[in-house]
Amino acid sequence: QVQLVESGGGLVQPGGSLRLSCAASGFTLSSYTIGWFRQAPGKERVAVSCISSSASTITYADSVKGRFTISRNNAKNTVYLQMNSLRPEDTAVYYCAASSTYSCRGSRYDYWGQGTQVTVSS
């Protein structure tokens, strides 16, 4: 059974850090582009960052450039999103997803995780 499971979300103060993990089972993560997306209450889901299968191509949303870092460990079938200098506007449910082609468009993704809540608040 193909499955993506996110973890690492939680409540953090502004300026703090979190590291999200996306673990895959039932398929080989190394063959896929992985994207992190987020959806805040009342807003559309948007792409945060995407990483190609070999990690040779990475894209960040302008809103997170310089603060977030995406990485992958194909041997562990896991992709990470390191989030630093968090802001209240980063509050959202964060999802990871897998695509067989490189894209940061959600419609191009085949598999999705269930999401993990990130709340940035004092």
Side-chain angles (χ1 to χ4, degrees):
Q1 180 181 0
V2 172
Q3 196 172 15
L4 288 169
V5 178
E6 304 94 338
S7 61
L11 173 64
V12 64
Q13 292 186 341
S17 298
L18 285 174
R19 188 176 82 155
L20 304 184
S21 298
C22 172
S25 61
F27 69 104
T28 303
L29 197 71
S30 60
S31 300
Y32 289 81
T33 287
I34 301 299
W36 283 99
F37 298 80
R38 68 186 182 187
Q39 186 166 22
K43 296 188 177 181
E44 293 186 352
R45 182 184 63 200
V46 296
V48 175
S49 183
C50 308
I51 185 168
S52 63
S53 57
S54 64
S56 59
T57 304
I58 290 174
T59 303
Y60 293 101
D62 288 343
S63 59
V64 306
K65 280 181 183 176
R67 301 188 298 122
F68 290 12
T69 302
I70 192 171
S71 62
R72 64 191 304 156
N73 185 329
N74 287 337
K76 293 186 176 181
N77 235 24
T78 303
V79 173
Y80 306 97
L81 184 68
Q82 178 68 42
M83 307 187 296
N84 299 328
S85 302
L86 283 162
R87 305 167 180 169
E89 53 264 39
D90 295 317
T91 295
V93 178
Y94 284 71
Y95 301 89
C96 67
S99 172
S100 55
T101 60
Y102 188 79
S103 174
C104 279
R105 296 177 60 183
S107 60
R108 302 298 297 273
Y109 282 73
D110 305 302
Y111 307 117
W112 290 82
Q114 82 290 348
T116 185
Q117 176 70 46
V118 171
T119 302
V120 185
S121 175
S122 55

